[in-house]
Amino acid sequence: MNWSIESIAAHPDVVDTLAAWHHLEWGELMAPWSLVDARTELTECVVANGFPATLVAYDESRQLAGSVSLVATDAPEFPEFSPWLASLYVAPLFRGRGLGKQLIDALVAHAHQLGFERLYLFTPVSPEIYRRSGWREIGKRQIGDHEVTLMVHE
C-alpha cells in the first residue's frame, strides 16, 4: 500500500476525528485525560512549527488511516525523559499492513531533522513493533494501574 504521511498542520480538519480515536484508545490509561485534552494537544501540533508535531497518514483514496506525534512530555510520571514518540494510532481497517512502522520511521526522521538524537516512548502493549524500528527497552514502569514498557531510540 502507498501511504501518504504528512503534517497535521496541512490537515486541521482531522483534529476532531483523531482526538476521538486517541481518547477512545488511551483515555482510560491516561485518566483524567479528556477528549478536550486530546483535541487541545492535536490543535497545538497544527499551529506549531515542527515541534510538537503530529504526522497523519492517508491511504491511496485519501482516507485518514492513522497518526503519530512528537511531544515534549507524554506522561507526568516520567519527567526525566524528553522528547517522546506518542499516540501511534492506526485505524482498525488499516492494521497489519505496515503503516505503524512507516509512521514510526517517519516520526523518527522528523525528530532527527529537528536535532533530537534520542527519543522515548512508552507502550502498554506491543513493544515488538517498536523493536523492528530500532527501539530498545529501558525498563518497566507504572501509569496508574497499568504497567508500561519504556523504550528509547538513539
Side-chain angles (χ1 to χ4, degrees), residues 1 18-19 42 56 58 61 69 90 94 98 118 121 123:
M1 169 93 42
L18 288 178
L42 289 163
V56 294
Y58 294 91
S61 67
S69 296
V90 175
F94 301 103
R118 181 177 295 132
L121 67 79
T123 181

Side-chain angles (χ1 to χ4, degrees), residues 24-138:
L24 185 63
E25 188 76 15
W26 300 295
E28 179 187 333
L29 174 68
M30 301 304 293
W33 188 64
S34 69
L35 180 58
V36 171
D37 294 332
R39 188 181 196 294
T40 300
E41 290 171 10
L42 289 163
T43 301
E44 289 172 2
C45 293
V46 169
V47 299
N49 188 20
F51 182 71
T54 294
L55 303 179
V56 294
Y58 294 91
D59 73 356
E60 294 162 337
S61 67
R62 299 298 296 166
Q63 184 175 355
L64 183 62
S67 66
V68 66
S69 296
L70 177 66
V71 298
T73 304
D74 196 24
E77 293 87 348
F78 314 127
E80 67 273 30
F81 301 116
S82 185
W84 292 85
L85 178 151
S87 305
L88 173 65
Y89 184 85
V90 175
L93 178 65
F94 301 103
R95 292 179 184 167
R97 301 185 199 178
L99 177 56
K101 183 176 184 330
Q102 286 189 27
L103 281 164
I104 293 166
D105 293 345
L107 190 84
V108 167
H110 177 74
H112 286 294
Q113 287 175 348
L114 294 173
F116 295 116
E117 295 179 8
R118 181 177 295 132
L119 294 173
Y120 298 92
L121 67 79
F122 70 84
T123 181
V125 295
S126 305
E128 302 79 27
I129 188 173
Y130 300 104
R131 284 190 193 106
R132 289 193 295 266
S133 290
W135 293 76
R136 67 178 173 80
E137 185 175 327
I138 57 174

